[in-house]
Amino acid sequence: MKKEFIILFFISFTLLSCQKKQNENQTFTNNEQKSINETVIENNESKTEKGLSDKWIIDLSIYNDVPEDSFISYISLHLNKENYSLGYHFQGGPFAHGKYTIKDNKVFLNYPDDIREESDTYTYLLNKIFPDKENQVLTYDSNYKSLAYSGCLRNKNSIFADMNNPSPVNEEYDFEGIKVIKLETYNAYSKETIKLRVYPSTTAEIGKFSYEIVENYRIKNEYNVCEDKDSLVPYLLAGKICKVDLKTVNEDEIDGIKAPWYRIGIWGGPEDRGHYFWIWGAYLEKWPDEENRKEVDDLFVKEALRLNVVKKVES
């Protein structure tokens, strides 16, 4: 009887121990799941939820009341531990700082407690993001997709696109009411001198570009830019290097040839911030490799001379 009691006690103790361990394991699993489902703020460090990055750029392309003199392309929101910063995150730095928390894919922004600079642009942004100077909640939207970025933080007042998540290339987008295909940006040139347009259409306004500085090794020694520094040329010169990033879905037929329009960026020199135009793309080619470039170089010089962009240096 005594032996049976000892055996029974041992079995009971073992079962209780196993049950306790199982309960502890279940508790740990529940806590672990909880930490995955919601952001926990510990020791003043915010653990960002899956899908949320820490850098966002404000997307004001959807608004039509942006101040005309505002340059806002790089104004961004950074989430740094428990503090956020808003503004240009280079040179002069952000213009506003404040507190925030994250929970359930939402960012809770307190109205800035430190506003270091005031201007029309900054005032506009503050009024847009914090109407009536009230705290705001931004919700993460993974379905958002613009020409530049996928994913955003948004509420009814503002949209912050995800700087760390570029939208995919080779897909269709709407750009200023135009259906376009986003391309992997590449260097190109036109085999023919062709008109620059501000919109992808033969009836659109003609664009003009200043070749005042022709930053090109092939003409530095033999040619100078013409004396008329204010002249603007309404053409992309054949052989001139440009950047290509968009093409239209629709094609236009000109002289029996069908081709889409391409958006190009061209620069007049190292200090030039660049200019964007549209060209009809029938004569567009990828920029050649170094060993195959002489023919393109010669074509550019020929067209630059023909249109009086440069002149030959007299000895």
Side-chain angles (χ1 to χ4, degrees):
M1 184 70 179
K2 183 176 181 181
K3 182 178 181 182
E4 292 175 351
F5 175 81
I6 294 173
I7 294 174
L8 182 61
F9 176 83
F10 178 79
I11 293 173
S12 299
F13 178 81
T14 303
L15 289 174
L16 287 171
S17 298
C18 290
Q19 184 63 42
K20 182 178 180 182
K21 185 174 182 61
Q22 184 178 1
N23 290 339
E24 290 175 349
N25 287 339
Q26 185 63 40
T27 301
F28 174 78
T29 302
N30 289 340
N31 287 337
E32 185 178 43
Q33 186 63 41
K34 183 178 180 181
S35 68
I36 294 173
N37 291 338
E38 68 180 46
T39 300
V40 180
I41 308 300
E42 293 178 348
N43 299 325
N44 293 327
E45 292 186 3
S46 62
K47 299 179 180 179
T48 306
E49 293 186 17
K50 184 178 181 181
L52 289 177
S53 64
D54 61 351
K55 296 178 183 178
W56 310 84
I57 186 165
I58 193 165
D59 183 357
L60 294 180
S61 60
I62 62 173
Y63 305 115
N64 57 15
D65 57 345
V66 180
E68 292 183 0
D69 59 347
S70 300
F71 179 66
I72 57 178
S73 298
Y74 297 103
I75 288 182
S76 54
L77 170 72
H78 283 205
L79 307 178
N80 305 305
K81 294 186 177 180
E82 78 276 13
N83 295 307
Y84 70 82
S85 54
L86 178 68
Y88 297 104
H89 287 80
F90 59 90
Q91 295 180 346
F95 70 90
H97 300 78
K99 301 286 187 180
Y100 81 97
T101 56
I102 300 177
K103 186 175 182 181
D104 298 332
N105 275 334
K106 294 181 179 180
V107 177
F108 298 80
L109 292 180
N110 292 345
Y111 186 79
D113 51 29
D114 178 14
I115 300 175
R116 299 186 178 181
E117 183 179 351
E118 293 185 3
S119 69
D120 291 342
T121 302
Y122 298 152
T123 300
Y124 169 85
L125 289 175
L126 287 176
N127 291 338
K128 181 67 70 176
I129 301 166
F130 299 97
D132 302 321
K133 298 184 178 181
E134 294 180 348
N135 299 344
Q136 293 294 310
V137 180
L138 302 177
T139 302
Y140 178 65
D141 181 359
S142 61
N143 295 320
Y144 174 83
K145 187 172 73 170
S146 69
L147 186 62
Y149 303 106
S150 296
C152 74
L153 290 172
R154 70 188 309 164
N155 60 14
K156 65 180 181 180
N157 306 309
S158 54
I159 288 181
F160 285 93
D162 187 353
M163 294 174 64
N164 293 333
N165 192 18
S167 56
V169 298
N170 300 320
E171 291 190 9
E172 185 176 319
Y173 297 86
D174 180 87
F175 175 70
E176 298 179 352
I178 310 164
K179 290 184 178 180
V180 299
I181 303 295
K182 179 180 178 180
L183 305 174
E184 191 77 54
T185 302
Y186 64 93
N187 291 334
Y189 74 99
S190 178
K191 295 184 293 183
E192 299 284 342
T193 293
I194 194 164
K195 286 182 180 178
L196 299 168
R197 300 282 183 175
V198 298
Y199 188 84
S201 170
T202 55
T203 61
E205 179 185 347
I206 295 175
K208 293 183 178 180
F209 177 71
S210 174
Y211 287 87
E212 177 181 342
I213 302 173
V214 183
E215 188 64 24
N216 214 297
Y217 75 92
R218 57 193 185 252
I219 65 172
K220 280 184 177 178
N221 296 325
E222 294 183 65
Y223 304 95
N224 282 337
V225 176
C226 288
E227 294 179 0
D228 184 5
K229 301 296 186 181
D230 296 326
S231 62
L232 294 172
V233 181
Y235 301 105
L236 173 68
L237 298 184
K240 166 68 176 173
I241 189 172
C242 62
K243 297 280 187 183
V244 178
D245 61 355
L246 302 176
K247 73 174 181 178
T248 58
V249 172
N250 295 328
E251 297 182 343
D252 277 350
E253 183 174 336
I254 302 175
D255 296 332
I257 305 172
K258 292 187 71 173
W261 291 77
Y262 289 82
R263 191 178 80 151
I264 63 167
I266 50 179
W267 288 259
E271 301 300 322
D272 190 348
R273 288 171 56 183
H275 308 267
Y276 287 92
F277 302 99
W278 290 88
I279 63 167
W280 184 59
Y283 305 108
L284 197 66
E285 296 282 347
K286 284 194 174 181
W287 191 247
D289 295 333
E290 191 72 37
E291 58 270 19
N292 301 322
R293 199 172 292 173
K294 185 178 185 307
E295 183 179 346
V296 179
D297 291 347
D298 293 342
L299 178 61
F300 174 74
V301 172
K302 175 184 174 182
E303 290 300 283
L305 285 168
R306 183 175 72 87
L307 293 173
N308 297 319
V309 174
V310 298
K311 62 180 179 180
K312 193 172 180 64
V313 176
E314 298 180 1
S315 26

